[in-house]
């Protein structure tokens, strides 16, 4: 008899998480779908906006219309206190307007983005243009293949190559 694989331990109830339908990951932590709930009303938060304040989770209504939004979080970009909506990315807090590409200043709220080695945020276009390593053979940027989030490259003698370009 086959058993379902375990994904890890739920941070809320400390029980093992089994099966695809039960796992929920947020802010780098694993939850059961039934444990990932608002601290005020117990509404499930999976696939809807939520807010984390001092380790407690809130649905949008309870965050906006309670004392929960009076957080002392500061924006990782501008350094000012965040008084309303908190955007969390990479374990850091931002004003939604401050989470933008450092080159073109396009808002990256809800969009795919890339980081350089200093954790600066770029839109995909500017990352490809200014940061992505360039192949020493074909001179094109080395980027993930379509549908992938992983970049495959070979570094040899201090030069970067696409896997297919190194002969």
């Amino acid at each position: 008899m086959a058993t379902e694989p375990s994904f890890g331990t739920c941070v809320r109830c400390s029980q093992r998480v089994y099966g695809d339908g039960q796992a929920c990951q947020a802010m780098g932590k694993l939850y059961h779908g039934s444990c990932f709930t608002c601290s005020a009303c117990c509404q499930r938060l999976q696939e809807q906006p939520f807010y984390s304040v001092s380790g407690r989770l809130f649905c949008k209504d309870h965050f906006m219309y309670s004392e929960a939004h009076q957080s002392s979080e500061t924006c990782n970009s501008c350094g000012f206190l965040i008084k309303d909506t908190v955007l969390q990315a990479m374990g850091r807090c931002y004003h939604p307007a401050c989470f933008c590409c450092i080159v073109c200043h396009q808002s990256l709220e809800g969009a795919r983005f890339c980081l350089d080695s200093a954790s600066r945020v770029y839109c995909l276009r500017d990352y490809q243009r200014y940061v992505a390593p360039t192949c020493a053979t074909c001179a094109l940027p080395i980027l993930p293949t379509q549908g992938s989030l992983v970049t495959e490259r070979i570094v040899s003698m201090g030069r970067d190559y696409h896997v297919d370009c190194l002969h």
Side-chain angles (χ1 to χ4, degrees):
M1 184 169 156
T3 60
E4 287 189 86
S6 171
F7 294 102
T9 303
C10 175
V11 297
R12 186 111 182 232
C13 71
S14 301
Q15 300 295 312
R16 300 293 290 171
V17 179
Y18 294 95
D20 287 332
Q22 288 192 20
C24 176
Q25 188 168 3
M27 302 172 301
K29 298 175 182 174
L30 184 67
Y31 297 85
H32 289 105
S34 59
C35 290
F36 188 60
T37 59
C38 174
S39 295
C41 68
C42 298
Q43 176 183 358
R44 286 184 181 222
L45 298 174
Q46 196 168 354
E47 296 185 28
Q48 66 174 307
F50 68 91
Y51 302 86
S52 175
V53 179
S54 302
R56 295 177 62 205
L57 301 173
F58 295 93
C59 65
K60 185 175 182 178
D61 287 343
H62 282 99
F63 176 77
M64 297 305 287
Y65 303 110
S66 73
E67 74 283 351
H69 74 282
Q70 303 295 330
S71 78
S72 60
E73 301 286 350
T74 57
C75 178
N76 191 66
S77 181
C78 71
F80 289 105
L81 187 66
I82 302 172
K83 295 182 181 178
D84 43 359
T85 304
V86 178
L87 187 148
Q88 290 189 328
M90 307 159 307
R92 297 181 178 138
C93 297
Y94 298 87
H95 293 106
C98 290
F99 190 67
C100 58
C101 174
I102 68 164
V103 176
C104 69
H105 306 289
Q106 170 188 342
S107 172
L108 297 173
E109 182 179 7
R112 291 180 59 197
F113 60 90
C114 295
L115 303 174
D116 66 10
S117 59
S119 295
R120 292 177 294 221
V121 181
Y122 293 84
C123 67
L124 294 178
R125 188 184 85 227
D126 287 335
Y127 181 84
Q128 293 169 1
R129 199 181 310 170
Y130 300 111
V131 182
T134 302
C135 178
T137 300
C138 70
L140 294 173
I142 302 170
L143 304 169
T145 57
Q146 190 168 0
S148 174
L149 299 176
V150 177
T151 302
E152 292 182 9
R153 70 176 172 154
I154 296 174
V155 179
S156 177
M157 299 181 70
R159 299 173 82 188
D160 298 302
Y161 298 91
H162 289 106
V163 174
D164 295 337
C165 289
L166 186 64
H167 299 290

